[in-house]
Amino acid sequence: MAPTFCCTPFCGLTALRSETEKVMRYTRIASPVGRLLLASDEAGLRHLSFENERRVKPEAEWKEDAGALRDAIQQLEGYWAGERTEFDLSLAPAGTEFQRRCWAELCRIPYGETISYGQLAQRIGNPKAVRAVGLANGANPIAIVIPCHRVIGSNGSLTGYGGGLEIKQKLLALEQKQLRLL
């Protein structure tokens, strides 16, 4: 079965929510590819990043609450074990319309497969936007679940990844059944 990540709707990105409704919950977890930071609010998962990136840090008003992220954690555990090829999570990545189009297309790359940045640019209908697609890929706030690790260079080489090329290689090997992480 082809994976369907719940990322096409990018749930709940409205500007009309009151500030009291926007409580960001976060947790840090150990994983086979290093420590991860997960954060979500009522709209869905907003961040899944590698702690070695240092791109996202909990803000003072965020609340530490692993329970609020239990479903995401369980689905990630299934992924590490090679038992889950699909994520079924509400996602709410913040980004430009162009970035969101790129991220939605990333979610359509089947588990265990890769495409090039050029192919991704073609898929979003802008074949000359290869560099912009690369930048959008690099700005993905929800690593692994929005599978930016499935995008490689046109010559088949592994290219940049926020978690590092070693982690990208591990994720691809896991999905191609060449590696077990648990």
Side-chain angles (χ1 to χ4, degrees):
M1 169 171 40
T4 304
F5 298 96
C6 175
C7 55
T8 44
F10 290 138
C11 315
L13 291 179
T14 63
L16 301 175
R17 292 183 304 219
S18 73
E19 290 302 312
T20 58
E21 294 174 338
K22 290 174 55 173
V23 176
M24 188 74 76
R25 309 280 181 192
Y26 79 96
T27 193
R28 291 179 172 98
I29 63 169
S31 84
V33 293
R35 291 196 48 83
L36 302 174
L37 173 72
L38 290 81
S40 69
D41 64 12
E42 75 287 347
L45 189 64
R46 292 208 177 258
H47 300 284
L48 192 167
S49 62
F50 300 94
E51 283 205 339
N52 67 352
E53 283 184 276
R54 304 276 185 234
R55 186 171 20 172
V56 178
K57 294 180 182 173
E59 296 179 20
E61 66 273 6
W62 290 16
K63 307 288 184 215
E64 191 161 6
D65 183 358
L69 292 144
R70 183 181 358 249
D71 195 32
I73 294 167
Q74 288 174 341
Q75 290 189 37
L76 284 166
E77 289 170 350
Y79 174 80
W80 306 132
E83 299 164 354
R84 177 173 283 281
T85 61
E86 303 175 2
F87 290 93
D88 183 20
L89 299 167
S90 293
L91 304 179
T96 67
E97 181 59 35
F98 180 82
Q99 288 172 326
R100 291 165 40 99
R101 277 192 9 242
C102 290
W103 301 335
E105 195 57 45
L106 289 173
C107 293
R108 292 183 185 91
I109 304 170
Y111 179 91
E113 295 183 20
T114 59
I115 65 169
S116 71
Y117 291 97
Q119 290 170 309
L120 183 58
Q122 288 177 343
R123 287 184 179 192
I124 64 162
N126 196 344
K128 294 184 179 186
V130 176
R131 287 182 191 255
V133 161
L135 291 172
N137 207 43
N140 173 14
I142 306 175
I144 303 166
V145 175
I146 298 178
C148 55
H149 60 276
R150 296 181 187 154
V151 182
I152 60 174
S154 60
N155 64 359
S157 65
L158 296 186
T159 57
Y161 188 64
L165 292 181
E166 183 180 327
I167 290 175
K168 183 173 188 168
Q169 187 173 26
K170 282 183 180 180
L171 294 173
L172 292 173
L174 168 72
E175 292 185 7
Q176 294 165 357
K177 306 289 188 218
Q178 297 171 354
L179 176 69
R180 287 190 50 116
L181 293 176
L182 290 181

